[in-house]
Amino acid sequence: EDQVTQSPEALRLQEGESSSLNCSYTVSGLRGLFWYRQDPGKGPEFLFTLYSAGEEKEKERLKATLTKKESFLHITAPKPEDSATYLCAVQASDRGSTLGRLYFGRGTQLTVWP
Amino acid sequence: KAGVTQTPRYLIKTRGQQVTLSCSPISGHRSVSWYQQTPGQGLQFLFEYFSETQRNKGNFPGRFSGRQFSNSRSEMNVSTLELGDSALYLCASSFAGGPNEKLFFGSGTQLSVL
C-alpha cells in the first residue's frame, strides 16, 4: 500500500501556464512533508518542509500548501528551467523509527516548453 | 560548503559480483542515509547510520549492508549482485537524522548489473 501518492505522473505546460501538483498521503502521525526537485542524473534537491495543516511556503514561482491529507505544489508562470521531476516525501511516526527515513512518492515529471 | 559526494558516479558489474559504494557527507553532518531509486519503485530507504551505528533499516535483503567511519563517511556494499539491483543509489546526509530534518542528497552512483 503506497503511503504517498503523487499526481499527475507527468505534466506538460506551456511557459507561463500555471498549474498544481498533488501529493496525497495516508500515514498518521505526520512529522513533516517534504518537497524535492530532481533533475536528470542528479540527486533530489530540497525545496520545502511543511509541518502542519494550513501551512504554506513560497520560493520564487513555487508555493507549497498542506492539508490533513494532501499537499499541493503550485507553480505560477513556469519557465523552461522549472522542468524537472518533483518528489514529495513524508516522515511519519506511525511507521517505526523515523531516523533518516523518508517515504517518497513516485514523483511528477514536469516539462515546461517555450 | 561542499555538498554530499558519492563515488564512483557509474559502475558496471556482472551478476554474482559484489560492489562497494562510497559517500562523504556534508561537513558537520553525522547522519548518513542510503536510498535506492528505480523507475518502478521510486526511492526506497535502505538504512541510516549515525556515529558509526546503524540506527534504522529498510526492507532489503541481507546482501545490502553498510558501515560508517569515525569521520562520518559511509560505504554501502551489495554482495552477490542480481539484475534487479540495477539502480541509482543515493546517499543523503543530515546533522543528526532526527525528526523533521531535511536530507541533502548526493548525485548518486548509477549501478548497472549485467
Side-chain angles (χ1 to χ4, degrees), chain B residues 50-69:
Chain B
F50 180 85
S51 291
E52 303 178 65
T53 300
Q54 186 184 91
R55 300 191 301 181
N56 202 359
K57 190 177 189 304
N59 297 323
F60 279 81
R63 299 185 296 108
F64 292 82
S65 63
R67 60 177 176 169
Q68 187 182 35
F69 303 94

Side-chain angles (χ1 to χ4, degrees), chain B:
Chain B
K1 197 174 187 181
V4 178
T5 304
Q6 290 189 247
T7 57
R9 187 71 181 87
Y10 301 95
L11 266 178
I12 300 176
K13 294 286 187 179
T14 57
R15 279 183 301 174
Q17 287 187 309
Q18 75 166 18
V19 67
T20 299
L21 314 181
S22 180
C23 171
S24 293
I26 291 172
S27 178
H29 285 191
R30 296 172 64 191
S31 169
V32 174
S33 300
W34 288 90
Y35 286 78
Q36 180 195 67
Q37 186 175 30
T38 59
Q41 298 295 319
L43 278 100
Q44 302 282 310
F45 173 77
L46 283 156
F47 29 66
E48 186 261 2
Y49 285 86
F50 180 85
S51 291
E52 303 178 65
T53 300
Q54 186 184 91
R55 300 191 301 181
N56 202 359
K57 190 177 189 304
N59 297 323
F60 279 81
R63 299 185 296 108
F64 292 82
S65 63
R67 60 177 176 169
Q68 187 182 35
F69 303 94
S70 58
N71 61 359
S72 295
R73 191 177 71 83
S74 178
E75 287 182 348
M76 188 192 112
N77 185 78
V78 187
S79 63
T80 319
L81 284 166
E82 300 177 0
L83 295 179
D85 296 333
S86 294
L88 179 66
Y89 289 87
L90 293 161
C91 166
S93 76
S94 66
F95 181 71
N100 305 331
E101 278 196 64
K102 60 189 178 187
L103 303 183
F104 294 85
F105 285 85
S107 293
T109 294
Q110 184 68 54
L111 172 65
S112 298
V113 182
L114 306 178

Side-chain angles (χ1 to χ4, degrees), chain A residues 30-34 36 38 40-46 49-51 85 87 91 95-106, chain B residues 9 31 33 35 37 39-43 45 48 55-59 88 90 96-108:
Chain A
L30 181 73
R31 305 296 290 271
L33 185 141
F34 301 77
Y36 284 85
Q38 187 173 24
K42 295 188 176 182
E45 177 186 349
F46 172 79
T49 307
L50 302 167
Y51 298 105
T85 295
L87 298 166
Q91 192 177 62
R95 292 291 186 271
S97 174
T98 61
L99 296 172
R101 180 173 197 163
L102 296 178
Y103 291 90
F104 281 86
R106 303 286 178 93
Chain B
R9 187 71 181 87
S31 169
S33 300
Y35 286 78
Q37 186 175 30
Q41 298 295 319
L43 278 100
F45 173 77
E48 186 261 2
R55 300 191 301 181
N56 202 359
K57 190 177 189 304
N59 297 323
L88 179 66
L90 293 161
N100 305 331
E101 278 196 64
K102 60 189 178 187
L103 303 183
F104 294 85
F105 285 85
S107 293

